[in-house]
Amino acid sequence: MAQLNLVLVWLLFLNLCLYSCPISAQLSRHHYANSCPNVENIVREAVKKKFHQTFVTVPATLRLFFHDCFVQGCDASVLVASTRNNKAEKDHPDNLSLAGDGFDTVIKAKEAVDAVPLCRNKVSCADILAMATRDVISLAGGPYYEVELGRFDGLRSKASDVEGRLPQPGFNLNQLNSLFAANGLTQTEMIALSGAHTVGFSHCNKFSNRVYNFKSKSRVDPTLNMKYAAELKSMCPRNVDPRIAIDMDPTTPRAFDNVYFKNLQQGKGLFTSDQVLFTDPRSKATVNAFASSSKIFRANFVAAMTKLGRVGIKNAQNGNIRTDCSVI
């Protein structure tokens, strides 16, 4: 109960901070008020259209935003295509599994924005990705929140920059905390952002070691719910087609909710890096708090996403507004 009260106090702070805490000097919720006043509606309609074509739009766009911000900051560098002389971020092994629907969502939204003469070449790809991410979360039943705008697009995208910058499925709590802290994010914010896995999916090879090659007598990770482990084996037999993907939330995979945390309480975290949030006593209380209250989770998630969106932003001196999101 004491831990829950602590999180409730934190929740109160978050509610105050979302509206009164200082933000980056160049970011503003009304950045395009004069240059492209209807930009959020334009982006939202384009995202909605893509969402109705495929639900994959949701996890694909969310993951794209995260992978962008954790490498060189939220500057749309993950959208850049490789050239003969430059291997870009998107072609690093850690980014090869980024679903094409995420890239297509940004491309479609960019086209819609630039189709309006007043807005043409005024809105950055980085901001379009940030808005699109908020919109897919909302469309999946998650919180709708105000997005801070004013990012410029990065002038660099190199695959080598990705190395060691993204969390891996086998990470323990120390590794997760270290990586997120490098981006100015706390353990509580890391756990809240992990909740995005409520609409995620993964290919079998990312977790197969937990059901086939774990260092235990049964060869199965003992922190896994045994019934869930059997289901995973059924969906991911040995030598399975590498294109097969599994929902990260086996209960409500198409709803952005707090069930991800309830799954962790039952040993149904797909990755080691998911389940460790519950098995490690340092993070367990936060998981329990988020599992017990959708309101607490949503408020923490919005605050963490807002803070993530401020990481490594570019300005007019070290960035630009791309006419094509895939070309620097």
Side-chain angles (χ1 to χ4, degrees), residues 183-196:
N183 289 285
L185 297 160
T186 67
Q187 177 176 286
T188 299
E189 289 161 345
M190 177 271 291
I191 298 168
L193 290 171
S194 297

Side-chain angles (χ1 to χ4, degrees), residues 7 40 266 298:
V7 178
E40 296 200 55
Q266 300 168 38
R298 289 162 75 97

Side-chain angles (χ1 to χ4, degrees), residues 35-286:
S35 58
C36 185
N38 204 32
V39 64
E40 296 200 55
N41 287 330
I42 297 169
V43 171
R44 189 176 303 117
E45 287 306 309
V47 172
K48 194 182 296 182
K49 186 175 180 180
K50 178 70 180 176
F51 171 77
H52 289 310
Q53 292 172 355
T54 173
F55 184 82
V56 175
T57 302
V58 178
T61 306
L62 237 174
R63 191 162 175 247
L64 195 61
F65 180 68
F66 182 86
H67 280 231
D68 182 43
C69 293
F70 260 48
V71 181
Q72 298 296 318
C74 306
D75 63 354
S77 53
V78 75
L79 302 175
V80 175
S82 292
T83 64
R84 184 184 301 176
N85 300 317
N86 181 61
K87 185 178 179 181
E89 287 178 25
K90 67 184 295 187
D91 288 320
H92 184 277
D94 285 353
N95 281 334
L96 294 178
S97 61
L98 289 170
D101 287 301
F103 294 92
D104 192 49
T105 299
V106 179
I107 290 169
K108 294 291 196 299
K110 171 72 169 169
E111 288 174 352
V113 170
D114 284 350
V116 178
L118 180 66
C119 302
R120 189 169 299 137
N121 300 330
K122 302 280 182 60
V123 183
S124 70
C125 301
D127 277 347
I128 288 174
L129 176 55
M131 286 183 275
T133 301
R134 180 269 311 278
D135 292 335
V136 297
I137 291 165
S138 177
L139 285 165
Y144 182 87
Y145 54 94
E146 295 293 328
V147 174
E148 298 171 353
L149 302 168
R151 300 166 188 80
F152 281 72
D153 297 322
L155 304 177
R156 169 192 177 99
S157 180
K158 293 189 177 294
S160 57
D161 290 337
V162 180
E163 195 64 37
R165 299 282 181 88
L166 296 170
Q168 302 300 313
F171 270 12
N172 60 34
L173 189 65
N174 288 339
Q175 290 170 308
L176 289 169
N177 280 338
S178 177
L179 195 65
F180 278 72
N183 289 285
L185 297 160
T186 67
Q187 177 176 286
T188 299
E189 289 161 345
M190 177 271 291
I191 298 168
L193 290 171
S194 297
H197 284 174
T198 188
V199 288
F201 62 87
S202 170
H203 295 96
C204 296
N205 66 334
K206 296 295 184 182
F207 59 85
S208 59
N209 65 304
R210 297 189 71 203
V211 293
Y212 290 117
N213 300 308
F214 201 79
K215 294 179 180 178
S216 67
K217 190 175 181 180
S218 67
R219 310 297 287 171
V220 176
D221 185 339
T223 66
L224 264 177
N225 178 297
M226 286 300 105
K227 184 179 178 183
Y228 182 50
E231 291 170 358
L232 291 177
K233 283 185 175 181
S234 174
M235 292 184 285
C236 290
R238 291 181 185 274
N239 303 315
V240 68
D241 184 332
R243 293 169 296 181
I244 296 294
I246 302 300
D247 292 323
M248 299 195 72
D249 176 351
T251 312
T252 57
R254 293 193 167 207
F256 192 98
D257 52 28
N258 67 333
V259 172
Y260 164 82
F261 299 102
K262 296 178 182 180
N263 290 336
L264 298 186
Q265 292 174 320
Q266 300 168 38
K268 294 181 180 179
L270 189 63
F271 293 162
T272 298
S273 57
D274 291 312
Q275 196 56 50
V276 75
L277 302 180
F278 183 72
T279 57
D280 194 305
R282 294 172 294 171
S283 48
K284 185 174 184 176
T286 305

